[in-house]
Amino acid sequence: MQAKYEIMRKSILFFASCILLLASCSPEYNQVLKTQDYHYKYEYAKQCFATGKYQRAMLLLSDLVHFEKGTENGQECLYMLAMTAYNTKNYDDAAQAFKKYYQSYPKGVYAEMAQFYIGQSLYDGTPEPRLDQSQTVAAIAAFQEFLDIFPDTELKPAAQQRLFDLQDKLVKKELHSAQLYYDLGTYFGNCTNGGNNYEACIITAQNALKDYPYTSLREEFAVLIMKSKFELAQQSVEGKKLERFQDAEDECYGFINEYPDSKQRATAERYIKRCKEVTKN
């Protein structure tokens, strides 16, 4: 329902902008819109595109892509239409238009750039890490496909950097999820299957480290694992307390060995002292 609403909202905004644009257009431009001289319309659209008048170019090109389909100018019209959407930050429309171009002209003049901009459009439209990251996953797939199709492209460094950036966003999403579990702590209202928020934090953080072993956020995940294991031991029933305090103590030593200069070292040492008090008794 939310997605349908968003599509309707974008459509209304698009048509509203078109109406406002038409109302403010010069007599010359209105004549170009109405003319049946498609060669003249094509040249005028190119001029609008070249001078950054993307809204005007978009209206003309939307008409031209149908008329010019299969002609010598067809692929340029479709590529320019995709670029107008991208340059006006209509990233979803741009991704679809670039995809249509590549599907229509896989050997076309702009095939490589179109394939790159499928990923770039999705990349620019990705939300902040706290939100759903399905578009981030789609952008990663698009750039990977681009590199598979064009392995020797000059855009390879740019595509690889985008992949690193997108992966960082997924890592931050996992870090946010792990932190949320930790912050929920002893609240069990969200644990419908008898689970524990500290256990969920540990599993989420450990899985993230397995999936993204080279992330720059390794220490942040390690801190959450250490803290969650200690809190889990604190909350444990007597039958599991000794084992969990031993596990927490081992985790703290491992943390200090890996991050000896961490700001959280004092926390790890405090935990170790508490763990020893329990395990020695």
Side-chain angles (χ1 to χ4, degrees), residues 29-262:
Y29 181 68
N30 284 324
Q31 289 177 0
V32 175
L33 281 172
K34 297 174 184 177
T35 185
Q36 298 299 308
D37 185 345
Y38 287 97
H39 177 73
Y40 177 57
K41 184 178 288 188
Y42 167 70
E43 293 297 332
Y44 196 94
K46 286 179 64 176
Q47 182 182 356
C48 289
F49 180 82
T51 55
K53 298 175 182 177
Y54 298 121
Q55 293 288 355
R56 291 189 176 191
M58 181 168 56
L59 289 175
L60 295 170
L61 291 166
S62 297
D63 184 26
L64 284 166
V65 291
H66 301 293
F67 182 80
E68 297 285 355
K69 185 177 181 180
T71 69
E72 185 178 339
N73 298 328
Q75 62 171 301
E76 186 174 28
C77 286
L78 185 52
Y79 183 74
M80 284 194 295
L81 180 61
M83 286 301 301
T84 59
Y86 179 78
N87 288 327
T88 52
K89 300 184 179 181
N90 294 311
Y91 297 124
D92 290 341
D93 292 341
Q96 291 303 315
F98 285 121
K99 189 177 296 185
K100 183 177 180 181
Y101 175 92
Y102 188 78
Q103 291 171 345
S104 302
Y105 307 100
K107 302 295 184 182
V109 177
Y110 307 104
E112 182 178 329
M113 292 300 298
Q115 189 67 33
F116 176 84
Y117 270 101
I118 294 171
Q120 184 65 41
S121 299
L122 293 169
Y123 172 88
D124 286 328
T126 54
E128 63 170 304
R130 292 172 181 268
L131 303 177
D132 176 66
Q133 293 300 307
S134 56
Q135 186 150 332
T136 301
V137 174
I140 289 173
F143 278 121
Q144 288 175 335
E145 184 177 5
F146 169 72
L147 291 173
D148 288 341
I149 297 172
F150 303 100
D152 300 320
T153 176
E154 292 183 0
L155 292 168
K156 186 174 182 177
Q160 289 176 328
Q161 184 59 53
R162 301 295 188 277
L163 286 171
F164 292 143
D165 293 343
L166 291 163
Q167 209 170 66
D168 281 348
K169 188 166 283 193
L170 293 182
V171 175
K172 288 176 182 177
K173 172 69 172 177
E174 293 303 305
L175 182 60
H176 172 69
S177 297
Q179 183 68 57
L180 182 60
Y181 281 125
Y182 179 79
D183 292 341
L184 286 170
T186 56
Y187 173 70
F188 291 99
N190 64 314
C191 299
T192 55
N193 296 318
N196 181 289
N197 289 310
Y198 292 124
E199 289 177 313
C201 176
I202 293 166
I203 292 170
T204 300
Q206 288 177 336
N207 286 339
L209 290 175
K210 289 177 184 177
D211 292 338
Y212 310 103
Y214 304 110
T215 176
S216 61
L217 299 174
R218 283 188 64 85
E219 184 177 342
E220 284 85 342
F221 283 112
V223 168
L224 285 174
I225 293 170
M226 177 182 69
K227 287 184 174 181
S228 292
K229 285 192 174 184
F230 179 78
E231 293 297 339
L232 186 61
Q234 293 268 76
Q235 302 295 327
S236 294
V237 295
E238 287 300 322
K240 294 183 178 180
K241 185 164 288 189
L242 179 61
E243 178 186 351
R244 286 181 171 173
F245 268 110
Q246 289 173 337
D247 184 33
E249 184 178 345
D250 290 342
E251 190 68 37
C252 291
Y253 277 121
F255 178 83
I256 291 173
N257 287 335
E258 188 168 357
Y259 307 102
D261 300 321
S262 174

Side-chain angles (χ1 to χ4, degrees), residues 3-19 90 93:
K4 184 177 180 181
Y5 171 78
E6 185 64 19
I7 292 172
M8 290 176 63
R9 187 184 70 83
K10 287 183 177 180
S11 297
I12 292 170
L13 289 174
F14 172 76
F15 286 116
S17 64
C18 288
I19 292 170
N90 294 311
D93 292 341

